PDB file of all heavy atoms in Angstrom:
ATOM      1  N   GLN V   1      92.249 106.269 126.057  1.00  0.00           N
ATOM      2  CA  GLN V   1      93.040 105.392 125.230  1.00  0.00           C
ATOM      3  C   GLN V   1      92.336 105.386 123.769  1.00  0.00           C
ATOM      4  O   GLN V   1      93.163 105.338 122.809  1.00  0.00           O
ATOM      5  CB  GLN V   1      93.098 103.958 125.825  1.00  0.00           C
ATOM      6  CG  GLN V   1      93.988 103.947 127.047  1.00  0.00           C
ATOM      7  CD  GLN V   1      93.738 102.597 127.832  1.00  0.00           C
ATOM      8  OE1 GLN V   1      92.958 101.751 127.446  1.00  0.00           O
ATOM      9  NE2 GLN V   1      94.619 102.380 128.837  1.00  0.00           N
ATOM     10  N   ALA V   2      91.097 105.259 123.705  1.00  0.00           N
ATOM     11  CA  ALA V   2      90.421 105.262 122.413  1.00  0.00           C
ATOM     12  C   ALA V   2      90.612 106.456 121.655  1.00  0.00           C
ATOM     13  O   ALA V   2      90.796 106.503 120.478  1.00  0.00           O
ATOM     14  CB  ALA V   2      88.901 104.923 122.584  1.00  0.00           C
ATOM     15  N   VAL V   3      90.556 107.633 122.419  1.00  0.00           N
ATOM     16  CA  VAL V   3      90.778 108.938 121.776  1.00  0.00           C
ATOM     17  C   VAL V   3      92.201 109.041 121.203  1.00  0.00           C
ATOM     18  O   VAL V   3      92.318 109.612 120.069  1.00  0.00           O
ATOM     19  CB  VAL V   3      90.520 110.061 122.763  1.00  0.00           C
ATOM     20  CG1 VAL V   3      90.855 111.477 122.290  1.00  0.00           C
ATOM     21  CG2 VAL V   3      88.939 110.134 123.130  1.00  0.00           C
ATOM     22  N   ASP V   4      93.209 108.588 121.991  1.00  0.00           N
ATOM     23  CA  ASP V   4      94.512 108.730 121.462  1.00  0.00           C
ATOM     24  C   ASP V   4      94.727 107.797 120.195  1.00  0.00           C
ATOM     25  O   ASP V   4      95.349 108.238 119.234  1.00  0.00           O
ATOM     26  CB  ASP V   4      95.480 108.113 122.516  1.00  0.00           C
ATOM     27  CG  ASP V   4      95.547 109.143 123.813  1.00  0.00           C
ATOM     28  OD1 ASP V   4      95.214 110.336 123.596  1.00  0.00           O
ATOM     29  OD2 ASP V   4      95.920 108.726 124.854  1.00  0.00           O
ATOM     30  N   GLU V   5      93.992 106.683 120.233  1.00  0.00           N
ATOM     31  CA  GLU V   5      94.124 105.823 118.966  1.00  0.00           C
ATOM     32  C   GLU V   5      93.369 106.582 117.780  1.00  0.00           C
ATOM     33  O   GLU V   5      93.764 106.472 116.688  1.00  0.00           O
ATOM     34  CB  GLU V   5      93.388 104.512 119.278  1.00  0.00           C
ATOM     35  CG  GLU V   5      93.510 103.496 118.124  1.00  0.00           C
ATOM     36  CD  GLU V   5      92.888 102.144 118.518  1.00  0.00           C
ATOM     37  OE1 GLU V   5      92.615 101.927 119.647  1.00  0.00           O
ATOM     38  OE2 GLU V   5      92.694 101.366 117.568  1.00  0.00           O
ATOM     39  N   TYR V   6      92.228 107.280 118.092  1.00  0.00           N
ATOM     40  CA  TYR V   6      91.525 108.002 117.098  1.00  0.00           C
ATOM     41  C   TYR V   6      92.366 109.072 116.497  1.00  0.00           C
ATOM     42  O   TYR V   6      92.296 109.368 115.309  1.00  0.00           O
ATOM     43  CB  TYR V   6      90.236 108.547 117.714  1.00  0.00           C
ATOM     44  CG  TYR V   6      89.183 109.022 116.683  1.00  0.00           C
ATOM     45  CD1 TYR V   6      88.253 108.192 116.173  1.00  0.00           C
ATOM     46  CD2 TYR V   6      89.179 110.402 116.356  1.00  0.00           C
ATOM     47  CE1 TYR V   6      87.326 108.599 115.258  1.00  0.00           C
ATOM     48  CE2 TYR V   6      88.208 110.881 115.514  1.00  0.00           C
ATOM     49  CZ  TYR V   6      87.331 109.926 114.901  1.00  0.00           C
ATOM     50  OH  TYR V   6      86.403 110.436 114.032  1.00  0.00           O
ATOM     51  N   LYS V   7      93.144 109.749 117.274  1.00  0.00           N
ATOM     52  CA  LYS V   7      94.084 110.772 116.838  1.00  0.00           C
ATOM     53  C   LYS V   7      95.035 110.139 115.790  1.00  0.00           C
ATOM     54  O   LYS V   7      95.291 110.818 114.767  1.00  0.00           O
ATOM     55  CB  LYS V   7      94.850 111.462 118.003  1.00  0.00           C
ATOM     56  CG  LYS V   7      93.929 112.241 118.918  1.00  0.00           C
ATOM     57  CD  LYS V   7      94.715 112.818 120.065  1.00  0.00           C
ATOM     58  CE  LYS V   7      93.927 113.589 121.008  1.00  0.00           C
ATOM     59  NZ  LYS V   7      94.672 114.138 122.179  1.00  0.00           N
ATOM     60  N   LYS V   8      95.568 108.964 116.057  1.00  0.00           N
ATOM     61  CA  LYS V   8      96.560 108.366 115.084  1.00  0.00           C
ATOM     62  C   LYS V   8      95.860 108.107 113.821  1.00  0.00           C
ATOM     63  O   LYS V   8      96.347 108.252 112.729  1.00  0.00           O
ATOM     64  CB  LYS V   8      97.097 107.149 115.747  1.00  0.00           C
ATOM     65  CG  LYS V   8      97.972 107.389 116.965  1.00  0.00           C
ATOM     66  CD  LYS V   8      98.515 106.106 117.542  1.00  0.00           C
ATOM     67  CE  LYS V   8      99.321 106.307 118.813  1.00  0.00           C
ATOM     68  NZ  LYS V   8      99.837 105.061 119.418  1.00  0.00           N
ATOM     69  N   LEU V   9      94.545 107.591 113.934  1.00  0.00           N
ATOM     70  CA  LEU V   9      93.787 107.322 112.696  1.00  0.00           C
ATOM     71  C   LEU V   9      93.515 108.606 111.870  1.00  0.00           C
ATOM     72  O   LEU V   9      93.481 108.467 110.678  1.00  0.00           O
ATOM     73  CB  LEU V   9      92.503 106.630 113.086  1.00  0.00           C
ATOM     74  CG  LEU V   9      92.641 105.224 113.741  1.00  0.00           C
ATOM     75  CD1 LEU V   9      91.267 104.780 114.220  1.00  0.00           C
ATOM     76  CD2 LEU V   9      93.214 104.286 112.731  1.00  0.00           C
ATOM     77  N   ILE V  10      93.295 109.659 112.649  1.00  0.00           N
ATOM     78  CA  ILE V  10      93.132 110.943 111.879  1.00  0.00           C
ATOM     79  C   ILE V  10      94.354 111.387 111.071  1.00  0.00           C
ATOM     80  O   ILE V  10      94.296 111.821 109.895  1.00  0.00           O
ATOM     81  CB  ILE V  10      92.794 112.099 112.849  1.00  0.00           C
ATOM     82  CG1 ILE V  10      91.343 111.888 113.349  1.00  0.00           C
ATOM     83  CG2 ILE V  10      92.795 113.471 112.092  1.00  0.00           C
ATOM     84  CD1 ILE V  10      90.808 112.928 114.422  1.00  0.00           C
ATOM     85  N   ALA V  11      95.549 111.118 111.728  1.00  0.00           N
ATOM     86  CA  ALA V  11      96.819 111.459 111.101  1.00  0.00           C
ATOM     87  C   ALA V  11      96.984 110.633 109.880  1.00  0.00           C
ATOM     88  O   ALA V  11      97.431 111.026 108.789  1.00  0.00           O
ATOM     89  CB  ALA V  11      97.963 111.241 112.081  1.00  0.00           C
ATOM     90  N   GLN V  12      96.628 109.335 109.996  1.00  0.00           N
ATOM     91  CA  GLN V  12      96.715 108.426 108.819  1.00  0.00           C
ATOM     92  C   GLN V  12      95.714 108.853 107.658  1.00  0.00           C
ATOM     93  O   GLN V  12      96.085 108.869 106.564  1.00  0.00           O
ATOM     94  CB  GLN V  12      96.373 107.001 109.189  1.00  0.00           C
ATOM     95  CG  GLN V  12      97.416 106.387 110.217  1.00  0.00           C
ATOM     96  CD  GLN V  12      97.024 104.954 110.622  1.00  0.00           C
ATOM     97  OE1 GLN V  12      96.353 104.257 109.935  1.00  0.00           O
ATOM     98  NE2 GLN V  12      97.544 104.538 111.789  1.00  0.00           N
ATOM     99  N   THR V  13      94.516 109.291 108.095  1.00  0.00           N
ATOM    100  CA  THR V  13      93.551 109.784 107.161  1.00  0.00           C
ATOM    101  C   THR V  13      94.081 110.982 106.380  1.00  0.00           C
ATOM    102  O   THR V  13      94.056 111.053 105.181  1.00  0.00           O
ATOM    103  CB  THR V  13      92.253 110.092 107.818  1.00  0.00           C
ATOM    104  OG1 THR V  13      91.714 108.978 108.512  1.00  0.00           O
ATOM    105  CG2 THR V  13      91.265 110.656 106.828  1.00  0.00           C
ATOM    106  N   THR V  14      94.701 111.880 107.148  1.00  0.00           N
ATOM    107  CA  THR V  14      95.295 113.064 106.497  1.00  0.00           C
ATOM    108  C   THR V  14      96.331 112.741 105.494  1.00  0.00           C
ATOM    109  O   THR V  14      96.451 113.240 104.393  1.00  0.00           O
ATOM    110  CB  THR V  14      95.832 114.001 107.521  1.00  0.00           C
ATOM    111  OG1 THR V  14      94.817 114.296 108.461  1.00  0.00           O
ATOM    112  CG2 THR V  14      96.330 115.315 106.893  1.00  0.00           C
ATOM    113  N   ASP V  15      97.234 111.736 105.948  1.00  0.00           N
ATOM    114  CA  ASP V  15      98.294 111.322 104.986  1.00  0.00           C
ATOM    115  C   ASP V  15      97.734 110.687 103.752  1.00  0.00           C
ATOM    116  O   ASP V  15      98.263 110.902 102.621  1.00  0.00           O
ATOM    117  CB  ASP V  15      99.232 110.294 105.795  1.00  0.00           C
ATOM    118  CG  ASP V  15     100.057 111.012 106.848  1.00  0.00           C
ATOM    119  OD1 ASP V  15     100.194 112.267 106.832  1.00  0.00           O
ATOM    120  OD2 ASP V  15     100.511 110.258 107.761  1.00  0.00           O
ATOM    121  N   MET V  16      96.775 109.884 103.899  1.00  0.00           N
ATOM    122  CA  MET V  16      96.137 109.242 102.737  1.00  0.00           C
ATOM    123  C   MET V  16      95.553 110.242 101.740  1.00  0.00           C
ATOM    124  O   MET V  16      95.663 110.066 100.557  1.00  0.00           O
ATOM    125  CB  MET V  16      95.143 108.112 103.188  1.00  0.00           C
ATOM    126  CG  MET V  16      95.703 106.883 103.805  1.00  0.00           C
ATOM    127  SD  MET V  16      94.523 105.677 104.167  1.00  0.00           S
ATOM    128  CE  MET V  16      95.567 104.358 104.860  1.00  0.00           C
ATOM    129  N   ILE V  17      94.797 111.166 102.316  1.00  0.00           N
ATOM    130  CA  ILE V  17      94.184 112.119 101.449  1.00  0.00           C
ATOM    131  C   ILE V  17      95.302 112.927 100.712  1.00  0.00           C
ATOM    132  O   ILE V  17      95.165 113.346  99.573  1.00  0.00           O
ATOM    133  CB  ILE V  17      93.263 113.101 102.295  1.00  0.00           C
ATOM    134  CG1 ILE V  17      92.002 112.260 102.765  1.00  0.00           C
ATOM    135  CG2 ILE V  17      92.815 114.305 101.522  1.00  0.00           C
ATOM    136  CD1 ILE V  17      91.115 113.050 103.606  1.00  0.00           C
ATOM    137  N   GLY V  18      96.376 113.265 101.496  1.00  0.00           N
ATOM    138  CA  GLY V  18      97.555 113.902 100.799  1.00  0.00           C
ATOM    139  C   GLY V  18      98.082 113.095  99.655  1.00  0.00           C
ATOM    140  O   GLY V  18      98.455 113.659  98.586  1.00  0.00           O
ATOM    141  N   GLN V  19      98.118 111.796  99.863  1.00  0.00           N
ATOM    142  CA  GLN V  19      98.657 110.922  98.781  1.00  0.00           C
ATOM    143  C   GLN V  19      97.753 110.976  97.529  1.00  0.00           C
ATOM    144  O   GLN V  19      98.164 110.919  96.467  1.00  0.00           O
ATOM    145  CB  GLN V  19      98.822 109.455  99.323  1.00  0.00           C
ATOM    146  CG  GLN V  19      99.853 109.337 100.340  1.00  0.00           C
ATOM    147  CD  GLN V  19      99.928 107.968 100.981  1.00  0.00           C
ATOM    148  OE1 GLN V  19      99.388 107.004 100.459  1.00  0.00           O
ATOM    149  NE2 GLN V  19     100.625 107.842 102.074  1.00  0.00           N
ATOM    150  N   MET V  20      96.437 110.949  97.921  1.00  0.00           N
ATOM    151  CA  MET V  20      95.415 110.920  96.795  1.00  0.00           C
ATOM    152  C   MET V  20      95.520 112.272  96.002  1.00  0.00           C
ATOM    153  O   MET V  20      95.383 112.209  94.727  1.00  0.00           O
ATOM    154  CB  MET V  20      94.030 110.723  97.424  1.00  0.00           C
ATOM    155  CG  MET V  20      93.750 109.384  97.917  1.00  0.00           C
ATOM    156  SD  MET V  20      92.123 109.238  98.771  1.00  0.00           S
ATOM    157  CE  MET V  20      91.037 109.414  97.388  1.00  0.00           C
ATOM    158  N   ASP V  21      95.822 113.361  96.665  1.00  0.00           N
ATOM    159  CA  ASP V  21      95.989 114.590  95.969  1.00  0.00           C
ATOM    160  C   ASP V  21      97.191 114.513  95.051  1.00  0.00           C
ATOM    161  O   ASP V  21      97.147 115.005  93.936  1.00  0.00           O
ATOM    162  CB  ASP V  21      96.206 115.727  96.949  1.00  0.00           C
ATOM    163  CG  ASP V  21      94.900 116.137  97.722  1.00  0.00           C
ATOM    164  OD1 ASP V  21      93.842 115.824  97.084  1.00  0.00           O
ATOM    165  OD2 ASP V  21      94.913 116.676  98.811  1.00  0.00           O
ATOM    166  N   LYS V  22      98.320 113.832  95.548  1.00  0.00           N
ATOM    167  CA  LYS V  22      99.475 113.719  94.665  1.00  0.00           C
ATOM    168  C   LYS V  22      99.141 112.780  93.400  1.00  0.00           C
ATOM    169  O   LYS V  22      99.591 113.115  92.327  1.00  0.00           O
ATOM    170  CB  LYS V  22     100.574 113.162  95.500  1.00  0.00           C
ATOM    171  CG  LYS V  22     101.204 114.122  96.540  1.00  0.00           C
ATOM    172  CD  LYS V  22     102.307 113.370  97.300  1.00  0.00           C
ATOM    173  CE  LYS V  22     102.798 114.326  98.398  1.00  0.00           C
ATOM    174  NZ  LYS V  22     103.945 113.690  99.166  1.00  0.00           N
ATOM    175  N   PHE V  23      98.329 111.749  93.689  1.00  0.00           N
ATOM    176  CA  PHE V  23      98.029 110.918  92.522  1.00  0.00           C
ATOM    177  C   PHE V  23      97.152 111.648  91.553  1.00  0.00           C
ATOM    178  O   PHE V  23      97.359 111.505  90.323  1.00  0.00           O
ATOM    179  CB  PHE V  23      97.211 109.645  93.067  1.00  0.00           C
ATOM    180  CG  PHE V  23      98.127 108.651  93.743  1.00  0.00           C
ATOM    181  CD1 PHE V  23      97.754 108.165  94.988  1.00  0.00           C
ATOM    182  CD2 PHE V  23      99.285 108.213  93.163  1.00  0.00           C
ATOM    183  CE1 PHE V  23      98.569 107.238  95.615  1.00  0.00           C
ATOM    184  CE2 PHE V  23     100.169 107.302  93.771  1.00  0.00           C
ATOM    185  CZ  PHE V  23      99.725 106.812  95.066  1.00  0.00           C
ATOM    186  N   ARG V  24      96.246 112.486  92.005  1.00  0.00           N
ATOM    187  CA  ARG V  24      95.366 113.293  91.098  1.00  0.00           C
ATOM    188  C   ARG V  24      96.282 114.265  90.292  1.00  0.00           C
ATOM    189  O   ARG V  24      96.094 114.420  89.100  1.00  0.00           O
ATOM    190  CB  ARG V  24      94.353 113.998  91.889  1.00  0.00           C
ATOM    191  CG  ARG V  24      93.284 113.083  92.474  1.00  0.00           C
ATOM    192  CD  ARG V  24      92.139 114.010  93.034  1.00  0.00           C
ATOM    193  NE  ARG V  24      91.150 113.188  93.769  1.00  0.00           N
ATOM    194  CZ  ARG V  24      91.083 113.016  95.037  1.00  0.00           C
ATOM    195  NH1 ARG V  24      91.958 113.584  95.856  1.00  0.00           N
ATOM    196  NH2 ARG V  24      90.187 112.264  95.544  1.00  0.00           N
TER     197      ARG V  24
END
């Protein structure tokens, strides 16, 4: 269950980094 939650957090991390690249 914790691993599945961690996967979702990784997806959110990837999205945020993508947003930061757009801002840059």
Side-chain angles (χ1 to χ4, degrees):
Q1 291 172 349
V3 168
D4 293 339
E5 185 176 348
Y6 194 85
K7 291 177 181 178
K8 295 178 181 179
L9 294 174
I10 289 179
Q12 294 178 25
T13 300
T14 305
D15 290 340
M16 286 185 180
I17 289 177
Q19 292 175 16
M20 291 174 67
D21 288 339
K22 291 180 180 179
F23 287 131
R24 291 190 184 100

